Amino acid sequence: MIRYIRRAAACCLLLLVALLANAARVQVFQADSLDKNPANRRLTIARYHEPRGNILVGGRSVTGSKDTDQQLRYERTYRSGPLYAPVTGYASQTYGTTLIENAEDGILSGTDSMLAPFPLWNELTRAQQPGGNVATTIKASTQEAAYNGLGRRRGAVAAIEPSTGKILALVSSPSYDPGVLSGTGPSVTDAWSRLNASASQPMLNRAIRQTYPPGSTFKIVTAAAALDSGAVTDMNADTDTPDPYTLPDTTTVLPNEASGCENASLEYAIEVSCNTVMANLGVKVGLSGMDEAVGKFGFNDSGLKIPSGVARSNFDTDMSKDQLALSSIGQFNTSATPLQMAMVSAAVANGGELMYPHLIDETRAKGGRVVRRNDPKSYRRAMDASTAVQLQQMMVDVVTQGTGSNAAIPGATVGGKTGTAQNGVNNAGTPYAWFISWAKADCASQPAVAVAVVVEDASAHRADITGGGFAAPIARAVMRAALEH
Amino acid sequence: MTATTADAPPPELRLPKRRGVELVLLVGAVLISVYGYIDVGLAKNDAVPADTLNYGAGLGLLALLAHLAVRFRAPYADPLLLPIAILLNGIGLVLIYRLDLETPGDSAAPTQLIWSTLAVALFICCVLFLRDHRILQQYTYLSVAAALVLMITPIFFPAVNGAKIWIRVGGFSIQPGEFAKILLAVFFASYLSANRNALSYTGRRIWRLQLPTMRVLAPVLAIWLISVGVLVLERDLGTSLLFFGLFVIMLYVATGRLSWIAIGMVMAAFGAFVVGSLEPHIRGRVENWLHPFASIDAGQGANQLAQSLFSFAAGGVLGTGLGLGHSILIGFAVKSDFILATAGEELGLAGLAAVFLLYALVVARGYRAGLALRDSFGRLLAIGLSSILAIQVFVIAGGVMGLIPLTGMAMPFLAQGGSSLVTNWVIVALLIRISDSARRPDPGFAETGIIAPIVEDES
């Protein structure tokens, strides 16, 4: 019996060894992969255990953190949430992050290894640093002007500093308060479903994530292509264009809203917005020529990041001549984000050199040490310098003598282009009112701002909704704010 | 008996009782528990818990009373058993208190303290009134009958979380199956010690297997069937595993026949296979053990076992420290079946190994007492009781750490649950009683100074 008891005891010892070995397996050898399992909430809990870093506009924080004493301890708060929502995005315990909150999450949450004084050492210790701050390129007064200008109407504004690519304003209306998504619980989930169910789509970032038919504002791109390719050599010379213009290989007739467009010069065609001349020029430049030209402005680029992804603005690469004609005046399948059209305006204002648009100036560790700085860089040369000079002149003419008179600012040179984009099948929908422009203070050496404004308003009368009437005043307010120091 | 000379009394032989050691260890156990309690308070609220003194005094008083009972009635008992039981119970209270802080609406620690008091009271009663473990031998058939009744009763009560192991009486819910463990161990011990030879040497031989006679085999088969019945009707995989393990170990120790083990294993495997294929509840457990992260891949989030594994992993080698882990994420049953995850996360591999070793010490001491005894009933009972503890720890610890399929079972002394606490305290009381007999000097050998001769039997 003694022998059997000893053997049974050995069995028990075996069980103990198995338990200890298994404990070591789970707690030591598999620990890393278990810690990183997406379903393991501990990383999330650790992430919210410290106050989140802040997003700065003009040196002031537009965000904050609130200690809730919940499991996910610190919740994001927003000062003027709706105003900056298209810039900051939300940082929700329940729904994750978007826009800057998402793109710079590493800095804001303190997980970015560059925040540590000795990054390599930090990789080993995996110590959590306090969250760093993100300084944006947004100018508060410009942002506010755009937001107030749009008011309760649906639409978007994007403003860029042409010489650097800094985004000065990014507004989408109607907006929402990202703060209502911070944290967990029924109030958050209710807000989420309410915002998502809303017909006005308050969470849609219209400035960078929504594309609209650009309408007549696209004629600037077509004009640049025509001048660059040599289809037009003199902007004051007559073009050979009938009025009305029959689309190539069809019987469809393209009318004009403006008068005096028959054989009009490029300058006049831009000034009063002749459809016939610009459609004809698009066809003359040809499909491959147009495609190359629009690509230099940023169309058809799905990789544009500011650092959040920008929706791809479209210009078809495979179409018939009549479709090319319509595309060249910003219709058919041509579509653009408001930011894209601001880039078009900025390229003209900056002498043809298009700077890469960006929203983040620099990121800093909590102590103020700069972690990364965004220096201006070129996106592409959108057009020849001489073309840019001619287009600047034409855009100034639009404001001084043409459809964009509402955008004029005393003491500054303003160039612009109106647009009224048709919408829906047979234009059944409400057209969009567009205005793109740039402004240079008389005392300054280069333009301070380029703007694109789009207003989509179902409550307005169709006749009223022209870019000049609706969108130009908003653009003027935005430019005014940007010109002030 | 050797003849003694009448004129000179034999020299007083001082045998080590080790009660002082026990007392010192008890003080240590209480202090460690109180330290843990304070630690939780400091980590969670930056303040020493208001009722620290009450907690410490309560645990200390329980320890002291138990110690006095042992000192008076079982002076030769093993000095390790009681302090380890107190320490594990104290750690359990600390862990439950720590988890209570995460669930403000539901505090289990006060209830557990009441149960602990009840359990220690029962322990004291056992030590005081059970003068000799051999008395239990007289109740062989009574104990098996009682065990069966206790096991069958819950079938008539509603199931809780898929297992029919509860009886609800008023506001109390008890698991009668817990108490049945001890009764079965008593039955097995006395039945096997009475029928050892019959089990070993009678019956026909088939090829090289010596089969026992039917008369001897029948009770064994009956018990096996009952276990399977419990498994099917109550869906209590853990208890069924425990019975198999207990029975096989005791049978082996009693007869030394590996053929029994083989038969037991085959029967167990067959039973498990049949039940597993019929019972989705059991099959789900096995599936879950094989693929703990399947629910995550299916996009349903982490299930309990996965959460438990996360918890252990988060602890790493040294643990997060008491009060700083997130084992509450396990959710349901975190204070009962999954209590070990909290220990694993907050005390780390180091603390977990310490807890395992504490259990191992109790088991080893039980076995040691069994070795030192001279009656085969006591031996088998000691082995049985120690094995119950060992198997319980293995089944639940292996379950929550993904070593074996998860079965619902309480971690002895640590887990929330009165029935389990009381049962395990009674086990410790019986082991104290047995170890007292084992280490007590035999009056017949008192003069020669031989404390306890060990009779090597024929095997």
Side-chain angles (χ1 to χ4, degrees):
Chain A
M1 206 162 176
I2 301 284
R3 203 188 323 157
Y4 308 141
I5 293 177
R6 293 226 160 100
R7 282 183 192 161
C11 273
C12 291
L13 182 66
L14 211 61
L15 295 185
L16 173 71
V17 170
L19 281 184
L20 288 172
N22 185 55
R25 175 184 71 108
V26 174
Q27 300 198 269
V28 179
F29 299 106
Q30 294 182 351
D32 213 35
S33 68
L34 287 168
D35 284 341
K36 288 185 178 138
N37 190 305
N40 191 343
R41 294 191 62 206
R42 281 170 183 75
L43 280 178
T44 318
I45 292 169
R47 161 203 169 100
Y48 293 113
H49 194 69
E50 295 291 327
R52 194 169 168 80
N54 284 317
I55 297 172
L56 313 177
V57 170
R60 274 187 73 247
S61 217
V62 296
T63 57
S65 272
K66 175 175 80 193
D67 187 351
T68 60
D69 272 331
Q70 302 284 312
Q71 187 182 58
L72 304 178
R73 191 166 165 190
Y74 282 95
E75 285 179 9
R76 189 48 132 189
T77 56
Y78 295 88
R79 301 191 180 90
S80 349
L83 171 63
Y84 290 108
V87 178
T88 59
Y90 54 79
S92 164
Q93 268 89 333
T94 315
Y95 299 105
T97 54
T98 51
L99 304 177
I100 286 184
E101 294 277 28
N102 175 268
E104 290 296 344
D105 186 62
I107 293 285
L108 294 165
S109 66
T111 52
D112 193 312
S113 59
M114 294 301 288
L115 284 172
F118 310 104
L120 273 176
W121 172 243
N122 203 57
E123 287 289 333
L124 293 175
T125 58
R126 302 220 322 245
Q128 184 112 356
Q129 298 291 324
N133 294 336
V134 174
T136 64
T137 57
I138 296 284
K139 190 174 176 188
S141 59
T142 315
Q143 180 84 358
E144 282 161 16
Y147 185 77
N148 297 333
L150 277 170
R152 304 192 48 174
R153 287 169 297 185
R154 291 188 202 181
V157 177
I160 303 176
E161 187 177 57
S163 55
T164 57
K166 287 182 178 180
I167 297 174
L168 302 175
L170 206 59
V171 168
S172 173
S173 171
S175 191
Y176 70 105
D177 183 0
V180 300
L181 299 178
S182 295
T184 52
S187 68
V188 173
T189 48
D190 289 353
W192 175 264
S193 41
R194 183 171 46 78
L195 288 170
N196 277 299
S198 171
S200 61
Q201 294 179 283
M203 283 172 72
L204 173 65
N205 188 344
R206 293 169 166 80
I208 61 167
R209 296 275 166 88
Q210 174 74 309
T211 58
Y212 301 89
S216 304
T217 55
F218 189 79
K219 292 172 183 168
I220 300 295
V221 178
T222 308
L227 288 164
D228 267 6
S229 66
V232 174
T233 45
D234 178 359
M235 66 178 191
N236 298 315
D238 286 357
T239 54
D240 179 18
T241 318
D243 181 12
Y245 168 75
T246 310
L247 295 180
D249 311 325
T250 67
T251 54
T252 312
V253 173
L254 180 70
N256 279 313
E257 303 276 333
S259 55
C261 287
E262 189 170 355
N263 297 336
S265 67
L266 177 61
E267 187 187 18
Y268 183 78
I270 291 288
E271 190 181 311
V272 301
S273 205
C274 295
N275 290 336
T276 50
V277 176
M278 301 313 297
N280 189 20
L281 283 177
V283 175
K284 277 187 183 161
V285 172
L287 184 57
S288 63
M290 279 302 291
D291 272 331
E292 194 192 339
V294 299
K296 290 192 282 192
F297 284 96
F299 280 85
N300 295 343
D301 178 354
S302 50
L304 193 65
K305 288 188 167 47
I306 64 165
S308 313
V310 178
R312 176 178 174 276
S313 300
N314 182 68
F315 187 87
D316 272 9
T317 53
D318 181 16
M319 50 189 167
S320 57
K321 280 188 175 175
D322 56 313
Q323 292 167 339
L324 174 61
L326 286 174
S327 294
S328 301
I329 56 169
Q331 294 183 23
F332 188 56
N333 282 341
T334 305
S335 68
T337 58
L339 180 73
Q340 172 62 68
M341 293 320 290
M343 286 161 70
V344 170
S345 176
V348 173
N350 199 41
E353 183 76 21
L354 175 56
M355 303 306 286
Y356 204 108
H358 59 274
L359 195 49
I360 290 171
D361 195 28
E362 55 185 33
T363 53
R364 309 185 191 120
K366 196 177 179 203
R369 179 176 56 87
V370 174
V371 178
R372 290 185 196 88
R373 176 175 283 123
N374 263 334
D375 292 322
K377 60 177 192 224
S378 172
Y379 177 78
R380 282 176 82 171
R381 172 156 281 284
M383 66 196 100
D384 294 347
S386 59
T387 303
V389 170
Q390 294 179 76
L391 272 172
Q392 282 172 12
Q393 185 55 55
M394 288 186 245
M395 288 178 81
V396 169
D397 289 347
V398 169
V399 174
T400 51
Q401 308 155 33
T403 53
S405 55
N406 278 339
I409 298 172
T413 310
V414 178
K417 180 73 194 82
T418 54
T420 304
Q422 296 176 342
N423 174 22
V425 182
N426 299 328
N427 310 331
T430 315
Y432 301 119
W434 274 97
F435 194 75
I436 65 172
S437 64
W438 49 266
K440 177 171 95 63
D442 288 344
C443 55
S445 59
Q446 53 187 358
V449 60
V451 190
V453 176
V454 66
V455 179
E456 38 168 322
D457 202 330
S459 62
H461 295 293
R462 281 197 56 162
D464 287 350
I465 190 155
T466 59
F470 252 115
I474 301 173
R476 181 180 55 197
V478 172
M479 291 187 291
R480 264 212 175 116
L483 288 169
E484 285 167 8
H485 287 294
Chain B
M1 277 296 282
T2 51
T4 53
T5 48
D7 50 356
E12 187 69 29
L13 193 67
R14 300 273 308 177
L15 281 157
K17 294 182 180 173
R18 302 286 169 127
R19 296 277 65 82
V21 173
E22 182 177 90
L23 189 58
V24 171
L25 289 174
L26 278 172
V27 170
V30 172
L31 285 180
I32 290 172
S33 304
V34 171
Y35 171 73
Y37 203 75
I38 293 172
D39 202 5
V40 170
L42 289 176
K44 290 296 289 181
N45 306 325
D46 295 327
V48 176
D51 52 356
T52 303
L53 264 180
N54 297 348
Y55 169 81
L59 195 67
L61 191 67
L62 290 182
L64 184 68
L65 291 173
H67 171 72
L68 289 176
V70 172
R71 186 177 276 267
F72 287 127
R73 284 294 194 215
Y76 290 94
D78 195 307
L80 275 187
L81 296 169
L82 181 61
I84 290 176
I86 286 282
L87 179 57
L88 287 170
N89 198 337
I91 292 173
L93 283 164
V94 167
L95 293 177
I96 292 168
Y97 166 73
R98 180 263 168 282
L99 289 169
D100 279 350
L101 296 178
E102 306 284 341
T103 56
D106 161 46
S107 55
T111 321
Q112 184 77 351
L113 193 54
I114 292 169
W115 276 111
S116 306
T117 312
L118 209 69
V120 173
L122 206 57
F123 166 92
I124 292 169
C125 289
C126 283
V127 172
L128 290 184
F129 300 120
L130 182 68
R131 305 303 302 278
D132 191 327
H133 62 268
R134 278 168 295 197
I135 296 167
L136 296 173
Q137 229 173 325
Q138 299 162 14
Y139 302 112
T140 307
Y141 290 99
L142 182 66
S143 58
V144 75
L148 290 183
V149 169
L150 286 173
M151 272 193 294
I152 289 164
T153 322
I155 293 175
F156 305 107
F157 284 80
V160 179
N161 311 318
K164 289 192 157 195
I165 52 177
W166 302 87
I167 297 180
R168 285 199 168 277
V169 184
F172 274 101
S173 57
I174 48 176
Q175 292 182 40
E178 289 280 348
F179 310 118
K181 292 169 190 169
I182 301 181
L183 295 170
L184 274 181
V186 171
F187 164 72
F188 284 152
S190 58
Y191 182 83
L192 291 173
S193 59
N195 297 301
R196 269 178 70 201
N197 292 337
L199 284 163
S200 304
Y201 303 111
T202 59
R204 273 170 297 175
R205 253 180 180 288
I206 295 180
W207 182 48
R208 292 174 64 183
L209 279 181
Q210 177 91 42
L211 288 181
T213 57
M214 204 57 218
R215 188 181 61 79
V216 182
L217 197 60
V220 175
L221 274 174
I223 294 296
W224 178 73
L225 283 170
I226 286 159
S227 302
V228 176
V230 166
L231 184 58
V232 173
L233 293 170
E234 305 188 0
R235 298 184 184 161
D236 189 354
L237 192 60
T239 306
S240 155
L241 257 177
L242 176 69
F243 289 166
F244 275 129
L246 176 65
F247 188 56
V248 165
I249 285 184
M250 290 182 77
L251 204 51
Y252 173 72
V253 169
T255 63
R257 298 211 153 266
L258 278 170
S259 54
W260 278 116
I261 309 288
I263 291 169
M265 290 291 171
V266 168
M267 279 160 69
F270 174 72
F273 176 76
V274 168
V275 175
S277 47
L278 294 176
E279 184 66 72
H281 178 78
I282 307 282
R283 196 171 52 207
R285 292 283 171 98
V286 176
E287 283 291 317
N288 193 9
W289 166 62
L290 291 171
H291 313 287
F293 303 120
S295 66
I296 297 171
D297 300 336
Q300 296 156 345
N303 59 33
Q304 273 190 299
L305 179 58
Q307 287 285 19
S308 172
L309 291 173
F310 291 160
S311 202
F312 282 106
V317 177
L318 296 176
T320 60
L322 276 173
L324 299 176
H326 300 288
S327 53
I328 199 71
L329 291 170
I330 295 168
F332 168 73
V334 68
K335 297 175 193 173
S336 48
D337 289 7
F338 288 93
I339 190 87
L340 201 67
T342 305
E345 177 163 6
E346 306 202 342
L347 304 174
L349 182 60
L352 202 58
V355 169
F356 286 155
L357 288 175
L358 288 176
Y359 286 116
L361 271 174
V362 175
V363 174
R365 290 297 174 134
Y367 268 78
R368 193 168 164 176
L371 281 172
L373 272 178
R374 275 143 305 190
D375 67 298
S376 55
F377 168 73
R379 271 187 180 173
L380 284 169
L381 186 59
I383 302 308
L385 295 172
S386 312
S387 301
I388 288 177
L389 207 60
I391 294 168
Q392 279 188 110
V393 172
F394 180 77
V395 164
I396 186 64
V400 297
M401 299 189 76
L403 182 61
I404 57 171
L406 181 61
T407 61
M409 192 178 265
M411 198 79 199
F413 302 107
L414 288 185
Q416 172 196 10
S419 312
S420 153
L421 202 57
V422 169
T423 305
N424 286 302
W425 268 106
V426 172
I427 288 177
V428 171
L430 292 175
L431 285 178
I432 291 255
R433 171 55 59 221
I434 291 167
S435 71
D436 176 60
S437 305
R439 297 173 79 248
R440 184 184 295 277
D442 189 309
F445 293 96
E447 291 134 23
T448 54
I450 296 170
I451 296 171
I454 289 171
V455 185
E456 271 293 351
D457 51 354
E458 65 293 321
S459 51

